[in-house]
Amino acid sequence: MATANTVNGRIERARTELSPTQMAAGALFIAALGFTLLFVQDPLVHDSLHNFRHAAGVACH
Amino acid sequence: MFAEYLTRGVKAGVVAGLVFGLFMAVVANPLVAYTDELNHATVEESGHSHEAESAHSHETEGTHSHETEGTHTHEAEGTHAGEGGGHHDTAVSMAVTKVVSVAAGGLWGVVLGGAFFGVAFFFLEPAIPGPDAAKSYLMGLAGFITVSGAPWLVLPPAAPGAEQSLSVATRLPLYAGMMLAGALACLSAGYVYTRLRESSGSVAALVGAAVPFALLAALAVVAPENAVHGALSPTLETGLTGLFAFGQVLLWLVLAAAHARFRPSSASESESAIPTAGRDSAPAAD
């Protein structure tokens, strides 16, 4: 059955539960989020996260 | 069902985000501000001894224009000692940095909760060994290794103001690559454990699961060395590195504990009902 408790079952379940539009929207959202985090190196954003980046162990200087 | 998992993950993320935001506000913010200031003061001190007085003051105006501006406002305010003073080469004031960093700490928890305990857990839950509550903690451990633990083997959290020998352009791909390696190590450890436990017992399975992590450590040894050189005392730098590492461990622990706690009481029933339904329908199909 599609609900079999395996990883493949879960993927199958997500496929039946979510519409293609929902999946596309989700993928786009994650891509946008990742892009923002990776490439928005605007000094304003970057520098205001200075303390946080130290606390998270990702220091860039 | 997917929406339920995502909600549960984000809920755990909110709890962990509150804790980590608090950690940012009361521990990390003051400490980073202080060590930045201390570091900058030491650098300035050594600058004095190396250069002629006039040349030095000229250089201060040229390159550290914002710094002097910061010191100026600090003098004007009079109350916040060194706020923004020790924080050179920056586009924003220390006050803004502090507020944004606390907010980022909260969102960090939500993002990790949603991504790992919402989306990844939904797909991987059947493959994670152990009883239900233990699965949350194993997910937390895997998340920590992926996001922080594995990259830190090569690039441990640096103390504020420390100089690093590798350039940012080298370190970013290295960090991302170690995250990927960490994720692969966790996934393959889980896979090996499940496979070996079926065939050769749990001791062999544990040994087998340790192999990917040994490979990860070997990879970290091979990776390029990043020499960190700071003006702070080595003991203080070790303490700061330890504190920031502890902060991330705490974050993942709270995430896992909250996630285990938010397990819907009906979920354990429906989980066990799914295989039963499958078994019931199988003979009927025969």
Side-chain angles (χ1 to χ4, degrees):
Chain A
M1 301 225 23
T3 52
N5 204 16
T6 61
V7 173
N8 279 330
R10 289 294 169 96
I11 294 171
E12 200 52 50
R13 197 165 174 149
R15 195 170 288 163
T16 50
E17 253 181 57
L18 302 169
S19 74
T21 319
Q22 277 175 323
M23 273 191 271
L28 189 68
F29 175 65
I30 290 165
L33 199 68
F35 184 84
T36 310
L37 288 175
L38 269 180
F39 297 110
V40 178
Q41 292 292 334
D42 182 53
L44 203 66
V45 179
H46 186 262
D47 288 358
S48 59
L49 289 170
H50 174 258
N51 290 7
F52 164 72
R53 285 183 299 105
H54 268 296
V58 195
C60 283
H61 52 63
Chain B
M1 183 172 149
F2 180 75
E4 285 161 28
Y5 272 70
L6 191 60
T7 312
R8 185 179 156 204
V10 171
K11 269 160 86 182
V14 169
V15 175
L18 283 174
V19 172
F20 194 65
L22 193 68
F23 174 82
M24 270 309 312
V26 301
V27 182
N29 265 345
L31 260 179
V32 174
Y34 171 70
T35 46
D36 255 347
E37 201 183 326
L38 201 66
N39 201 59
H40 192 65
T42 320
V43 169
E44 202 149 81
E45 196 94 332
S46 63
H48 269 291
S49 62
H50 284 305
E51 293 167 47
E53 198 59 47
S54 58
H56 174 248
S57 60
H58 182 74
E59 197 232 21
T60 311
E61 255 174 67
T63 55
H64 299 294
S65 57
H66 195 87
E67 201 284 318
T68 42
E69 202 178 303
T71 327
H72 181 72
T73 48
H74 142 61
E75 274 165 15
E77 274 176 287
T79 44
H80 293 279
E83 192 122 286
H87 197 237
H88 63 125
D89 294 346
T90 178
V92 287
S93 75
M94 197 52 163
V96 174
T97 301
K98 284 183 171 177
V99 172
V100 175
S101 289
V102 169
L107 290 177
W108 182 232
V110 175
V111 166
L112 293 180
F116 281 84
F117 288 92
V119 179
F121 192 81
F122 170 79
F123 289 111
L124 295 177
E125 190 187 17
I128 303 174
D132 277 350
K135 287 182 179 197
S136 295
Y137 289 94
L138 279 175
M139 187 74 217
L141 183 66
F144 172 74
I145 289 171
T146 301
V147 175
S148 297
W152 284 353
L153 290 176
V154 183
L155 304 165
E163 300 269 338
Q164 304 187 47
S165 63
L166 295 178
S167 70
V168 173
T170 317
R171 278 186 277 140
L172 281 182
L174 194 59
Y175 204 98
M178 284 306 286
M179 282 176 75
L180 190 67
L184 285 176
C186 293
L187 288 174
S188 47
Y191 180 79
V192 167
Y193 179 86
T194 312
R195 275 303 172 89
L196 279 182
R197 206 179 53 160
E198 280 169 17
S199 58
S200 8
S202 52
V203 177
L206 278 176
V207 173
V211 171
F213 295 113
L215 287 176
L216 186 68
L219 190 65
V221 172
V222 176
E225 191 106 358
N226 183 40
V228 179
H229 172 75
L232 304 174
S233 90
T235 320
L236 181 58
E237 286 192 2
T238 311
L240 284 171
T241 304
L243 180 73
F244 295 146
F246 175 77
Q248 290 301 295
V249 171
L250 182 76
L251 171 71
W252 285 101
L253 193 64
V254 174
L255 267 174
H259 189 252
R261 187 92 192 143
F262 285 140
R263 187 154 43 93
S265 49
S266 60
S268 51
E269 288 161 34
S270 68
E271 282 306 308
S272 58
I274 290 166
T276 317
R279 254 179 265 130
D280 282 347
S281 61
D286 273 317

